[in-house]
Amino acid sequence: MSHEDTGELPRSTPESQGVPSGAVLAMLRRWETSGCEPHSVVIVRHGHVVAQGWWAPYRPEHQQLLYSVSKTFLAVAVALAEDDGLLGRGERLVDVFPEAAATAGPRASEITVEDCLRMSTGHHEDTLDTVPGLLGSGDGAAALFLAAEPEHEPGSWFVYHNGASLMLALAVQRRTGQRLLHYLRPRLLEPLGITSASWRSAAGGDLGFSGLHTTTDAVARLGVLLLNDGVWQGTRLLPSGWVGTASSALSNTAHHPGTPDWQQGYGYQLWQSRHDGFRADGAYGQFSLIHPRHDLVVAVTACTDDAQPILEAVWEELIPALTDTPSPADPEAVHELSQALDTAVLPAVGSTCEPAVPGPWVFTHEPTPEHPRLTRVEVRPHENSWLLVVDDGEPLPITCGDGRWPDAAGAPFVAAGGWVSPDVFEATIVAVQTPHSLHLHCTDGVASARWRGYPLHGPCLSWQREPDGD
């Protein structure tokens, strides 16, 4: 049975596809030592998966929150709706949402679907930040958006604009009569072999600008589709030429704050990268890096407030080492890379002593803006390890390994921790369907907590659960 029959991407050794194992290993080590906290990687060269790995407790089957990588799936939904004759890039929002047209000023009346795709609506700042209640207004969102008259002419000014992506999501869902996820399933997800996906919704519609949960393998598959101009294993899924337009520098981002990789230009919900590439790009280091000149896709999930080191390691360790023909294998590097990928794990705290008093142990938490619902943490002995019961708006029992990540398949949370002194218990709780983890320090009956990567979709643990798929 061929790979086309099974839907699987073919596997290959790195060297067979001109990827030195030592270069991949150097890239991974740089990620780890730079504090980026990688969670997963899938590398595809010449259509073959040449390396993949997950840092425990993350697993291949986990649907992970992709943040703004969601926008690229949204852009594909717009392309498919246009191909179905349901929505045009040149259409004005006032024509898509005629009930809201009366609220629009002269500039807002001219904003088109393409302006939203390019994030060039003319607004100087993201309307999701400047228009109160925009996200929670449901059917009234278009009226609120159009009532915010842009400071610049539509098409003339780029700002990273979640509000514009929200309008795209609403437009697709208005014209198709379906949630984004439902519309994409038969047209994109199922043909790509993506069987595991869910999308956080608001007011009955998928967010669009964020909120998509799916696997790292799915992120790699999206990259391969875009690398091949919308063709997947011989079948065209996207209109011919659309990827070339969507991945070009349609908006000037030279004024965008940050490093050069965010100043190369913006297309249809895609960033241009250095080294002749483009990318789907999500907060905290979620990427599908697509490099047509090198026939390369690198899918990454991570948790970092500074994603630049992730990119720099790809640019400086991996890409310069690629060869156009198979490269000779270094047996030591091949072995080291295999070991590194097979044993990748996030650091975990373990007990260095016994607790001062017998358990269970209860620690209270005074709610803060960062942790508004966290009130109590209980630690119980459990099968030579611990069970945490965290009251974060609701009691959440979480398996906690002592110095190791337990195998908690199917659980939304997993933890590792231990007694670092007789009176101090520390633990890290990983919300495995997101990039985020919560670090607990418990002593003298009081718990303190801090997030790694402050979650943008709600700070409570209960918000970090995977949303319903349908």
Side-chain angles (χ1 to χ4, degrees), residues 113-434:
V113 170
E114 171 142 349
D115 292 331
C116 292
L117 282 165
R118 293 173 47 207
M119 293 193 178
S120 60
T121 62
H123 293 95
H124 197 76
E125 298 178 68
D126 187 351
T127 54
L128 206 63
D129 298 328
T130 62
V131 177
L134 180 62
L135 182 57
S137 56
D139 290 341
L144 287 175
F145 180 88
L146 290 168
E149 183 70 351
E151 294 85 350
H152 311 274
E153 292 296 327
S156 66
W157 173 261
F158 171 87
V159 67
Y160 194 70
H161 195 172
N162 289 300
S165 299
L166 176 63
M167 289 303 106
L168 293 174
L170 294 174
V172 171
Q173 291 170 125
R174 166 69 64 89
R175 288 295 179 80
T176 65
Q178 299 179 68
R179 286 178 51 186
L180 290 173
L181 193 66
H182 294 169
Y183 184 65
L184 286 174
R185 279 197 195 282
R187 295 166 176 82
L188 178 74
L189 304 183
E190 290 174 358
L192 288 182
I194 300 173
T195 59
S196 178
S198 51
W199 211 319
R200 191 173 294 282
S201 62
D206 293 333
L207 286 179
F209 66 88
S210 188
L212 179 63
H213 290 65
T214 191
T215 62
T216 314
D217 177 73
V219 177
R221 288 166 183 257
L222 174 69
V224 172
L225 177 71
L226 299 179
L227 180 74
N228 293 315
D229 186 40
V231 175
W232 175 259
Q233 296 182 343
T235 300
R236 175 161 293 284
L237 301 183
L238 302 180
S240 178
W242 180 86
V243 174
T245 301
S247 62
S248 58
L250 301 176
S251 292
N252 185 336
T253 64
H255 60 279
H256 185 74
T259 56
D261 278 295
W262 282 267
Q263 296 171 345
Q264 303 298 307
Y266 195 79
Y268 292 161
Q269 313 286 285
L270 284 164
W271 290 92
Q272 282 211 315
S273 299
R274 288 180 288 166
H275 307 285
D276 300 322
F278 61 96
R279 68 186 186 276
D281 183 323
Y284 303 113
Q286 325 315 311
F287 291 119
S288 184
L289 307 176
I290 301 131
H291 286 267
R293 182 161 67 90
H294 301 291
D295 200 11
L296 175 73
V297 171
V298 181
V300 186
T301 67
C303 187
T304 177
D305 290 320
D306 180 10
Q308 186 63 42
I310 294 178
L311 300 179
E312 295 289 353
V314 178
W315 306 160
E316 296 173 10
E317 303 292 349
L318 182 63
I319 285 182
L322 299 176
T323 60
D324 294 332
T325 58
S327 57
D330 177 343
E332 183 176 350
V334 170
H335 176 74
E336 286 187 22
L337 176 60
S338 177
Q339 286 289 102
L341 292 171
D342 289 345
T343 62
V345 61
L346 299 185
V349 172
S351 295
T352 59
C353 59
E354 294 295 322
V357 296
W361 304 268
V362 176
F363 305 91
T364 60
H365 180 269
E366 186 69 26
T368 65
E370 185 176 353
H371 304 285
R373 297 168 62 181
L374 179 60
T375 58
R376 184 175 183 272
V377 177
E378 182 176 348
V379 182
R380 303 174 185 171
H382 178 70
E383 297 179 355
N384 298 318
S385 193
W386 318 106
L387 180 70
L388 305 184
V389 181
V390 180
D391 195 329
D392 197 48
E394 59 178 290
L396 299 172
I398 301 170
T399 303
C400 180
D402 194 327
R404 57 179 177 79
W405 300 105
D407 184 2
F413 310 109
V414 64
W419 293 92
V420 298
S421 75
D423 299 311
V424 178
F425 182 86
E426 292 187 353
T428 299
I429 301 171
V430 175
V432 293
Q433 291 142 347
T434 81

